[in-house]
Amino acid sequence: RAGAARACGMRVAAPRAGARSYDGRAFGDARGPASGPQPGGNSCNKFMENEATLPRAPSDIAGLDDILRGGFPRNYMHLLSGLPGTGKTTLALQFLRAGAARGERCLYVTLAETRSEVEAAARTHGWDLAGVEIAELAPSEHKLSADSQLTVFNPSELEIGETTEALIAATERAKPQRLVVDSLSEPGRAERAP
């Protein structure tokens, strides 16, 4: 609830006495725009009203599912953000492994690493990715070569680029119940480097 509330620009009750909001005011302070509905916030308000009853996708990560009230809300997009090495891919792989263990269709789309690199990363944790389909959409060496570069316009200027089409095709083929796209910083790079 706290994460959803923050995403909506709202404050929630603090878990400890004396905690402050992002703007320095005490939690529960009714001043300012964060205390009430936001302009155009109907969908956010509806999310907050229904958030407790949403079906969940557990991550099987100790503590995280408790914070998330049982897991990530299903049928929503969740963004993991952080510097390299902070555990985004590790969390994403754990999330997919938890789904695979429950018999769910899971798809990991990699836009930056090869399949073997993803599998090697999993092995460093002692994990098997059985039940997790991996779609490798990283540009090939040939696509990155100078000979294959377009000279008239940049592929990122196309309405739907090759990488985006491949992502859509992989998703339509696998029909995943859990989907991870790693990393969102890569689609533009991949589109610019055919």
Side-chain angles (χ1 to χ4, degrees), residues 20-115:
R20 310 297 279 180
S21 69
Y22 67 93
D23 61 2
R25 289 184 279 182
F27 278 93
D29 185 42
R31 296 176 292 141
S35 63
Q38 302 297 306
N42 291 338
S43 63
C44 189
N45 291 337
K46 288 178 185 174
F47 175 81
M48 291 300 298
E49 291 169 10
N50 299 320
E51 189 261 343
T53 61
L54 290 172
R56 303 294 172 148
S59 67
D60 288 352
I61 299 172
L64 180 60
D65 287 340
D66 293 334
I67 293 168
L68 297 175
R69 294 184 174 188
F72 291 95
R74 288 189 181 272
N75 303 315
Y76 285 85
M77 183 181 301
H78 304 280
L79 174 67
L80 299 178
S81 177
L83 296 172
T86 57
K88 299 177 300 294
T89 298
T90 299
L91 190 148
L93 289 174
Q94 286 179 284
F95 172 74
L96 292 178
R97 290 181 67 246
R102 288 172 171 75
E104 298 176 17
R105 290 181 308 278
C106 298
L107 176 61
Y108 181 92
V109 177
T110 174
L111 301 174
E113 299 177 319
T114 65
R115 173 188 308 272

Side-chain angles (χ1 to χ4, degrees), residues 5 8 21 44-45 66 82 97 100-101 116 137-138 147 172-173 188:
C8 294
S21 69
C44 189
N45 291 337
D66 293 334
R97 290 181 67 246
S116 61
L137 302 183
D147 294 340
E172 287 176 349
R173 181 182 36 73

Side-chain angles (χ1 to χ4, degrees), residues 87-194:
K88 299 177 300 294
T89 298
T90 299
L91 190 148
L93 289 174
Q94 286 179 284
F95 172 74
L96 292 178
R97 290 181 67 246
R102 288 172 171 75
E104 298 176 17
R105 290 181 308 278
C106 298
L107 176 61
Y108 181 92
V109 177
T110 174
L111 301 174
E113 299 177 319
T114 65
R115 173 188 308 272
S116 61
E117 290 170 327
V118 172
E119 291 170 343
R123 280 192 305 274
T124 66
H125 296 289
W127 297 340
D128 178 8
L129 294 180
V132 175
E133 183 177 341
I134 299 173
E136 182 182 341
L137 302 183
S140 67
E141 296 279 333
H142 170 71
K143 288 184 175 186
L144 294 174
S145 71
D147 294 340
S148 68
Q149 299 295 315
L150 296 176
T151 57
V152 178
F153 63 92
N154 191 313
S156 64
E157 296 170 0
L158 297 174
E159 185 174 335
I160 296 180
E162 183 180 326
T163 303
T164 304
E165 288 176 351
L167 173 61
I168 292 168
T171 303
E172 287 176 349
R173 181 182 36 73
K175 299 193 182 325
Q177 293 164 290
R178 296 187 185 208
L179 169 67
V180 167
V181 179
D182 190 5
S183 124
L184 287 179
S185 63
E186 296 304 320
R189 288 184 198 160
E191 294 300 337
R192 288 188 297 273

